[in-house]
Coordinates of all heavy atoms in Angstrom, one line a residue:
M1450 N 102.6 109.5 93.3 CA 103.2 108.5 92.6 C 102.3 107.3 92.1 O 101.1 107.3 92.6 CB 104.3 107.8 93.5 CG 105.2 106.8 92.8 SD 106.8 107.5 92.7 CE 107.6 106.1 91.9
L1451 N 102.7 106.4 91.2 CA 101.9 105.4 90.7 C 101.2 104.5 91.7 O 100.0 104.2 91.6 CB 102.6 104.7 89.7 CG 103.1 105.3 88.5 CD1 104.0 104.3 87.6 CD2 101.9 105.9 87.6
H1452 N 101.9 104.1 92.8 CA 101.3 103.3 93.7 C 100.2 103.9 94.5 O 99.3 103.2 95.0 CB 102.4 102.7 94.6 CG 102.9 103.6 95.6 ND1 104.0 104.5 95.3 CD2 102.7 104.1 96.8 CE1 104.3 105.2 96.3 NE2 103.5 105.0 97.2
R1453 N 100.1 105.1 94.7 CA 99.1 105.9 95.4 C 97.7 105.7 94.7 O 96.6 105.6 95.2 CB 99.4 107.2 95.7 CG 100.4 107.5 96.7 CD 100.6 108.9 97.2 NE 101.6 109.0 98.2 CZ 102.8 109.4 98.1 NH1 103.2 109.8 96.9 NH2 103.7 109.5 98.9
A1454 N 97.9 105.9 93.2 CA 96.7 105.7 92.4 C 96.1 104.3 92.4 O 95.0 104.0 92.6 CB 97.0 106.2 91.0
A1455 N 97.0 103.3 92.5 CA 96.7 101.9 92.6 C 96.0 101.7 94.0 O 95.0 100.9 94.0 CB 97.8 101.0 92.4
A1456 N 96.5 102.2 95.0 CA 95.9 102.1 96.4 C 94.4 102.7 96.4 O 93.7 102.2 96.9 CB 96.7 102.7 97.4
R1457 N 94.3 103.8 95.8 CA 93.0 104.4 95.7 C 92.0 103.6 95.0 O 90.8 103.3 95.4 CB 93.1 105.8 95.2 CG 93.4 106.9 96.1 CD 93.3 108.3 95.5 NE 93.7 108.6 94.2 CZ 95.1 108.9 94.0 NH1 95.9 109.2 95.0 NH2 95.6 109.1 92.7
T1458 N 92.4 103.0 93.8 CA 91.5 102.2 92.9 C 91.1 101.0 93.8 O 90.0 100.5 93.7 CB 92.3 101.8 91.7 OG1 92.7 102.9 91.0 CG2 91.5 101.0 90.8
L1459 N 92.0 100.4 94.5 CA 91.8 99.2 95.3 C 91.1 99.4 96.8 O 90.9 98.5 97.4 CB 92.9 98.2 95.4 CG 93.5 97.5 94.2 CD1 94.7 96.9 94.6 CD2 92.4 96.8 93.5
Q1460 N 90.9 100.7 97.0 CA 90.4 100.9 98.3 C 91.3 100.3 99.4 O 90.9 99.9 100.3 CB 89.0 100.6 98.6 CG 88.1 101.2 97.5 CD 86.7 100.5 97.5 OE1 86.2 100.0 98.6 NE2 86.0 100.5 96.5
A1461 N 92.7 100.4 99.1 CA 93.6 99.8 99.9 C 94.3 100.8 100.9 O 94.2 102.0 100.7 CB 94.7 99.1 99.1
G1462 N 94.8 100.1 102.0 CA 95.6 100.9 102.9 C 97.0 101.3 102.4 O 97.2 101.2 101.1
E1463 N 97.9 101.6 103.3 CA 99.2 101.8 102.7 C 99.9 100.6 102.2 O 99.7 99.6 102.8 CB 100.2 102.3 103.9 CG 99.8 103.7 104.3 CD 100.1 104.7 103.3 OE1 101.3 104.7 102.7 OE2 99.2 105.6 103.0
P1464 N 100.6 100.7 101.1 CA 101.3 99.5 100.6 C 102.4 99.2 101.5 O 103.1 99.9 102.2 CB 102.0 100.1 99.2 CG 102.1 101.5 99.4 CD 101.0 102.0 100.3
V1465 N 102.8 97.8 101.3 CA 103.9 97.2 102.0 C 105.2 97.2 101.0 O 104.9 96.7 100.0 CB 103.6 95.7 102.4 CG1 104.8 95.0 103.1 CG2 102.4 95.7 103.4
V1466 N 106.2 97.9 101.5 CA 107.4 97.9 100.6 C 108.2 96.7 100.7 O 108.5 96.3 101.9 CB 108.1 99.1 100.9 CG1 109.5 99.3 100.0 CG2 107.3 100.4 100.8
S1467 N 108.6 96.0 99.7 CA 109.4 94.8 99.6 C 110.8 95.3 99.4 O 111.1 96.1 98.5 CB 109.0 93.9 98.6 OG 110.0 92.8 98.5
A1468 N 111.8 94.8 100.0 CA 113.3 95.0 99.9 C 113.8 94.5 98.7 O 114.9 94.9 98.1 CB 114.1 94.6 101.1
E1469 N 113.0 93.5 98.0 CA 113.6 92.8 96.8 C 113.1 93.4 95.6 O 112.0 93.7 95.3 CB 113.0 91.4 96.9 CG 113.6 90.5 98.1 CD 113.1 89.0 98.0 OE1 112.8 88.5 96.8 OE2 112.8 88.4 99.0
T1470 N 114.0 93.7 94.8 CA 113.8 94.3 93.4 C 114.7 93.4 92.5 O 115.7 92.9 92.9 CB 114.2 95.7 93.2 OG1 115.4 95.9 93.5 CG2 113.2 96.5 94.1
P1471 N 114.3 93.1 91.2 CA 115.0 92.4 90.3 C 116.5 93.0 90.1 O 116.8 94.2 90.0 CB 114.2 92.5 89.0 CG 112.9 92.8 89.5 CD 113.0 93.6 90.6
A1472 N 117.4 92.0 90.0 CA 118.9 92.4 89.8 C 119.1 93.2 88.6 O 119.9 94.2 88.7 CB 119.6 91.1 89.8
G1473 N 118.4 93.1 87.5 CA 118.6 93.8 86.4 C 118.0 95.3 86.4 O 118.3 96.1 85.5
L1474 N 117.5 95.6 87.6 CA 117.2 97.0 87.8 C 117.8 97.8 88.9 O 117.5 98.9 89.3 CB 115.6 97.1 88.3 CG 114.6 96.6 87.2 CD1 113.2 96.5 87.8 CD2 114.6 97.3 85.9
N1475 N 119.0 97.2 89.3 CA 120.0 97.9 90.1 C 120.3 99.3 89.7 O 120.6 99.4 88.5 CB 121.2 97.1 90.4 CG 121.0 95.8 91.2 OD1 120.0 95.7 91.9 ND2 121.9 94.9 91.2
G1476 N 120.2 100.3 90.5 CA 120.4 101.7 90.1 C 119.3 102.4 89.3 O 119.5 103.4 88.8
A1477 N 118.1 101.7 89.2 CA 117.1 102.2 88.4 C 116.0 102.9 89.2 O 114.9 103.1 88.8 CB 116.3 101.2 87.4
A1478 N 116.3 103.3 90.5 CA 115.3 103.8 91.4 C 114.1 102.7 91.5 O 112.8 103.3 91.4 CB 114.9 105.1 91.0
A1479 N 114.3 101.5 91.6 CA 113.1 100.5 91.7 C 112.8 100.4 92.9 O 113.3 100.5 94.0 CB 113.8 99.2 91.1
Q1480 N 111.3 100.1 93.1 CA 110.5 99.9 94.2 C 109.4 98.9 94.0 O 108.8 98.8 93.0 CB 110.0 101.2 94.7 CG 109.4 101.2 96.1 CD 108.8 102.4 96.6 OE1 108.2 103.2 95.9 NE2 109.1 102.7 97.9
R1481 N 109.4 97.8 94.9 CA 108.4 96.8 94.8 C 107.4 96.9 95.9 O 107.9 97.0 97.0 CB 109.0 95.4 94.7 CG 108.1 94.3 94.5 CD 108.9 93.0 94.3 NE 108.0 91.9 94.4 CZ 108.3 90.6 94.2 NH1 109.6 90.4 94.0 NH2 107.5 89.7 94.3
L1482 N 106.2 96.9 95.5 CA 105.1 97.1 96.6 C 104.0 96.1 96.5 O 103.8 95.6 95.5 CB 104.4 98.6 96.5 CG 105.4 99.7 96.3 CD1 104.8 101.0 95.6 CD2 105.9 100.0 97.6
Q1483 N 103.4 95.9 97.7 CA 102.3 95.0 97.8 C 101.0 95.8 98.3 O 101.2 96.5 99.3 CB 102.6 93.8 98.7 CG 103.8 92.9 98.3 CD 104.1 91.8 99.2 OE1 103.2 91.2 99.7 NE2 105.3 91.7 99.6
L1484 N 99.9 95.6 97.7 CA 98.7 96.1 98.2 C 97.6 95.0 98.4 O 97.6 94.1 97.6 CB 98.1 97.2 97.1 CG 99.0 98.3 96.8 CD1 98.5 99.0 95.6 CD2 99.0 99.4 98.0
S1485 N 96.8 95.2 99.3 CA 95.6 94.4 99.5 C 94.5 95.3 99.6 O 94.4 96.3 100.3 CB 95.6 93.7 100.8 OG 96.7 92.6 100.7
G1486 N 93.3 95.0 98.8 CA 92.2 95.9 98.8 C 91.0 95.1 98.1 O 90.8 94.0 98.2
R1487 N 90.1 96.0 97.7 CA 88.8 95.4 97.1 C 88.5 96.2 95.7 O 88.8 97.3 95.5 CB 87.7 95.7 97.9 CG 87.8 95.0 99.2 CD 86.4 94.7 100.0 NE 86.6 94.0 101.2 CZ 86.6 92.6 101.2 NH1 86.3 92.1 100.0 NH2 86.8 91.9 102.2
T1488 N 87.9 95.4 94.7 CA 87.6 95.8 93.5 C 86.3 96.7 93.7 O 85.7 96.6 94.8 CB 87.3 94.8 92.5 OG1 86.3 93.9 93.0 CG2 88.5 94.0 92.2
P1489 N 85.9 97.6 92.8 CA 84.7 98.3 92.9 C 83.4 97.4 93.3 O 82.5 97.9 94.1 CB 84.4 99.1 91.7 CG 85.9 99.2 91.1 CD 86.5 97.9 91.5
D1490 N 83.4 96.2 92.8 CA 82.2 95.3 93.1 C 82.4 94.6 94.5 O 81.7 93.6 94.7 CB 81.9 94.3 92.1 CG 83.1 93.5 91.6 OD1 84.1 93.7 92.1 OD2 82.7 92.6 90.8
G1491 N 83.5 94.7 95.3 CA 83.7 94.3 96.6 C 84.6 93.1 96.7 O 84.8 92.5 97.8
V1492 N 85.0 92.6 95.6 CA 85.9 91.3 95.6 C 87.4 91.7 96.1 O 88.0 92.6 95.8 CB 86.2 90.7 94.1 CG1 87.1 89.5 94.2 CG2 84.7 90.4 93.6
A1493 N 87.8 90.8 97.2 CA 89.0 91.1 97.8 C 90.2 90.6 96.7 O 90.1 89.5 96.2 CB 89.2 90.3 99.1
V1494 N 91.1 91.6 96.6 CA 92.2 91.3 95.8 C 93.6 91.6 96.2 O 93.6 92.5 97.3 CB 92.0 92.1 94.3 CG1 90.8 91.4 93.6 CG2 91.9 93.5 94.6
R1495 N 94.6 91.1 95.7 CA 96.0 91.5 96.1 C 96.7 92.1 94.6 O 96.3 91.7 93.6 CB 96.7 90.4 96.6 CG 96.2 89.9 97.9 CD 97.0 88.6 98.4 NE 98.4 89.0 98.6 CZ 99.3 88.1 98.3 NH1 99.1 86.9 98.0 NH2 100.7 88.4 98.5
Q1496 N 97.6 92.9 94.9 CA 98.3 93.5 93.8 C 99.8 93.8 94.2 O 100.0 94.1 95.3 CB 97.7 94.9 93.4 CG 98.2 95.5 92.2 CD 97.6 96.7 91.8 OE1 96.8 97.3 92.5 NE2 97.8 97.3 90.5
Q1497 N 100.6 93.4 93.3 CA 102.2 93.7 93.5 C 102.5 94.5 92.3 O 102.2 94.3 91.2 CB 102.9 92.5 93.6 CG 102.7 91.8 94.9 CD 103.8 90.7 95.3 OE1 104.9 90.9 94.9 NE2 103.5 89.7 96.1
L1498 N 103.2 95.6 92.7 CA 103.7 96.6 91.7 C 105.2 96.7 91.7 O 105.7 96.6 92.8 CB 103.1 98.0 91.9 CG 101.7 98.2 92.0 CD1 101.2 98.1 93.5 CD2 101.3 99.4 91.5
L1499 N 105.9 96.8 90.6 CA 107.3 97.2 90.6 C 107.3 98.4 89.7 O 106.8 98.5 88.6 CB 108.1 96.0 89.8 CG 109.5 96.3 89.4 CD1 110.2 96.3 90.9 CD2 110.0 95.1 88.6
T1500 N 107.8 99.5 90.3 CA 108.1 100.7 89.7 C 109.5 101.0 89.5 O 110.3 100.7 90.4 CB 107.4 102.0 90.2 OG1 107.9 102.1 91.7 CG2 105.8 101.8 90.3
F1501 N 109.9 101.6 88.4 CA 111.5 101.9 88.2 C 111.5 103.0 87.1 O 110.6 103.3 86.4 CB 112.2 100.6 87.9 CG 111.8 100.1 86.5 CD1 112.5 100.3 85.4 CD2 110.8 99.1 86.6 CE1 112.2 99.6 84.2 CE2 110.5 98.5 85.3 CZ 111.1 98.7 84.1
R1502 N 112.6 103.7 87.1 CA 112.8 104.8 86.3 C 114.0 104.5 85.5 O 115.1 103.9 85.9 CB 113.2 106.0 87.1 CG 113.3 107.3 86.3 CD 113.6 108.6 87.2 NE 115.0 108.4 87.8 CZ 115.2 108.6 89.0 NH1 114.4 109.1 89.9 NH2 116.5 108.5 89.5
A1503 N 113.9 104.8 84.2 CA 115.0 104.6 83.3 C 115.2 106.0 82.4 O 114.1 106.3 81.7 CB 114.8 103.4 82.4
G1504 N 116.1 106.8 82.7 CA 116.2 108.0 82.0 C 115.1 108.9 82.5 O 114.8 109.0 83.7
G1505 N 114.3 109.5 81.7 CA 113.1 110.4 82.1 C 111.7 109.7 82.2 O 110.7 110.4 82.2
T1506 N 111.8 108.4 81.9 CA 110.5 107.6 82.0 C 110.4 106.7 83.2 O 111.3 106.1 83.6 CB 110.6 106.7 80.6 OG1 110.8 107.6 79.5 CG2 109.2 106.0 80.5
V1507 N 109.1 106.7 83.8 CA 108.9 105.9 84.9 C 107.9 104.7 84.3 O 107.0 104.9 83.5 CB 108.0 106.6 85.9 CG1 107.5 105.8 87.1 CG2 108.9 107.8 86.5
Y1508 N 108.4 103.5 84.8 CA 107.7 102.3 84.3 C 106.9 101.6 85.5 O 107.4 101.8 86.6 CB 108.7 101.3 83.7 CG 109.3 101.8 82.5 CD1 110.6 102.4 82.5 CD2 108.7 101.7 81.1 CE1 111.2 103.0 81.4 CE2 109.4 102.2 80.1 CZ 110.5 102.7 80.1 OH 111.2 103.3 79.0
Q1509 N 105.8 100.9 85.3 CA 105.2 100.2 86.2 C 104.8 98.8 85.7 O 104.2 98.8 84.6 CB 104.0 101.0 86.9 CG 103.2 100.0 87.8 CD 102.1 100.9 88.3 OE1 102.0 102.0 88.7 NE2 100.8 100.2 88.3
A1510 N 105.1 97.8 86.4 CA 104.7 96.3 86.1 C 103.8 95.9 87.3 O 104.1 96.2 88.4 CB 105.8 95.5 85.8
T1511 N 102.7 95.3 87.0 CA 101.7 94.9 88.0 C 101.2 93.6 87.7 O 101.0 93.1 86.6 CB 100.4 96.0 87.8 OG1 100.9 97.3 88.0 CG2 99.4 95.6 88.9
V1512 N 101.0 92.8 88.9 CA 100.3 91.5 89.0 C 99.3 91.8 89.8 O 99.3 92.3 91.0 CB 101.4 90.6 89.5 CG1 100.6 89.1 89.6 CG2 102.6 90.4 88.6
F1513 N 98.1 91.3 89.6 CA 96.7 91.5 90.1 C 95.9 90.4 90.3 O 95.8 89.6 89.2 CB 96.1 92.7 89.3 CG 94.8 93.0 89.8 CD1 94.5 94.1 90.8 CD2 93.6 92.5 89.3 CE1 93.3 94.4 91.2 CE2 92.5 92.9 89.7 CZ 92.2 93.9 90.6
G1514 N 95.3 90.0 91.2 CA 94.5 88.9 91.3 C 93.8 88.6 92.7 O 94.3 89.2 93.7
T1515 N 92.9 87.6 92.8 CA 92.4 87.2 94.1 C 93.3 86.5 94.9 O 93.4 86.6 96.1 CB 91.1 86.4 93.9 OG1 91.4 85.3 93.2 CG2 90.0 87.3 93.4
Q1516 N 94.3 85.6 94.2 CA 95.3 85.0 94.9 C 96.5 85.2 94.0 O 96.5 85.1 92.8 CB 95.1 83.5 94.9 CG 93.9 83.3 95.8 CD 93.5 81.8 96.0 OE1 94.1 81.0 95.2 NE2 92.7 81.5 97.0
L1517 N 97.7 85.3 94.6 CA 99.0 85.5 93.8 C 100.1 84.6 94.3 O 100.2 84.3 95.5 CB 99.5 86.9 94.0 CG 98.7 88.1 93.6 CD1 99.4 89.4 93.9 CD2 98.3 88.0 92.2
S1518 N 100.7 83.9 93.2 CA 101.6 82.8 93.6 C 102.9 83.7 93.8 O 103.5 84.3 92.8 CB 101.7 81.9 92.5 OG 103.0 81.3 92.4
E1519 N 103.5 83.7 94.9 CA 104.8 84.4 95.1 C 105.9 83.9 94.1 O 106.5 84.7 93.5 CB 105.3 84.0 96.6 CG 104.5 84.9 97.6 CD 104.5 86.3 97.3 OE1 105.5 86.9 97.1 OE2 103.3 86.9 97.4
Q1520 N 106.0 82.6 93.8 CA 106.8 82.1 92.8 C 106.5 82.7 91.3 O 107.4 83.2 90.7 CB 106.8 80.6 92.7 CG 107.8 79.9 91.8 CD 107.6 78.5 91.8 OE1 106.9 77.8 92.3 NE2 108.6 77.9 91.1
G1521 N 105.3 82.8 91.1 CA 104.9 83.4 89.8 C 105.2 84.8 89.7 O 105.7 85.4 88.7
V1522 N 105.0 85.6 90.7 CA 105.2 87.0 90.8 C 106.6 87.3 90.7 O 107.1 88.0 90.0 CB 104.5 87.7 92.1 CG1 105.0 89.2 92.2 CG2 103.1 87.6 92.0
D1523 N 107.3 86.6 91.5 CA 109.0 86.6 91.4 C 109.4 86.4 90.0 O 110.4 87.1 89.6 CB 109.6 85.7 92.4 CG 109.3 86.2 94.0 OD1 108.9 87.4 94.1 OD2 109.6 85.3 94.8
G1524 N 108.9 85.3 89.5 CA 109.4 84.9 88.1 C 109.1 86.0 87.1 O 109.9 86.4 86.2
F1525 N 107.9 86.6 87.2 CA 107.5 87.7 86.2 C 108.4 88.9 86.5 O 109.0 89.5 85.5 CB 106.0 88.1 86.6 CG 105.4 89.3 85.7 CD1 105.6 89.3 84.3 CD2 105.2 90.5 86.4 CE1 105.1 90.4 83.6 CE2 104.8 91.7 85.7 CZ 104.7 91.5 84.3
F1526 N 108.6 89.4 87.6 CA 109.4 90.6 88.1 C 110.9 90.5 87.7 O 111.5 91.2 87.3 CB 109.2 91.0 89.4 CG 107.9 91.6 89.7 CD1 107.4 91.7 90.9 CD2 107.2 92.4 88.7 CE1 106.2 92.3 91.3 CE2 106.0 93.0 89.0 CZ 105.4 92.9 90.2
S1527 N 111.4 89.1 87.9 CA 112.7 88.9 87.6 C 113.0 89.0 86.2 O 114.3 89.0 85.8 CB 113.3 87.6 88.3 OG 112.6 86.5 87.6
G1528 N 112.1 88.9 85.3 CA 112.4 88.9 83.9 C 112.4 90.3 83.4 O 112.7 90.5 82.2
I1529 N 112.2 91.3 84.2 CA 112.2 92.7 83.8 C 113.6 93.2 84.1 O 114.1 93.1 85.2 CB 111.2 93.5 84.7 CG1 109.7 93.0 84.2 CG2 111.3 94.9 84.3 CD1 108.7 93.6 85.2
G1530 N 114.2 93.9 83.2 CA 115.4 94.5 83.4 C 115.8 95.5 82.3 O 115.0 95.7 81.3
L1531 N 116.8 96.4 82.6 CA 117.1 97.4 81.6 C 118.3 97.0 80.8 O 119.2 96.3 81.3 CB 117.6 98.7 82.5 CG 116.5 99.3 83.3 CD1 117.0 100.5 84.1 CD2 115.3 99.8 82.4
G1532 N 118.3 97.1 79.6 CA 119.3 96.9 78.6 C 119.3 95.5 78.2 O 120.3 95.1 77.6
R1533 N 118.4 94.7 78.6 CA 118.3 93.4 78.0 C 117.9 93.2 76.7 O 117.0 94.1 76.2 CB 117.3 92.5 78.9 CG 118.0 92.3 80.3 CD 117.0 91.2 81.0 NE 117.6 90.9 82.3 CZ 117.1 90.2 83.1 NH1 115.8 89.6 82.9 NH2 117.6 89.9 84.4
R1534 N 118.3 92.3 75.9 CA 117.8 92.1 74.6 C 117.4 90.6 74.4 O 118.1 89.8 75.0 CB 118.9 92.3 73.5 CG 119.5 93.7 73.7 CD 119.6 94.5 72.4 NE 120.1 95.7 72.5 CZ 119.4 96.9 72.3 NH1 118.3 96.8 71.9 NH2 120.1 98.0 72.4
P1535 N 116.4 90.3 73.7 CA 116.0 89.0 73.5 C 117.0 88.2 72.8 O 117.8 88.5 72.1 CB 114.7 89.0 72.7 CG 114.3 90.4 72.3 CD 115.5 91.4 73.1

């Protein structure tokens, strides 16, 4: 799955699964994960991923950085949904 590739890239351990997924993705086989690891040059980083399926397509949204604001990450992920129109 996509999160395994992200974990390998960051030299991270097993991801932590979060129970919270955006309301707009209910029924979309959504999963939110957190990873902690290092970039190839050794910088400690955190990554949060949201994966979901719609029809035959799998999507991944990612937030990546040395420090992540939980409020910012939650705001970004909550804006993702299926069937929304601007």
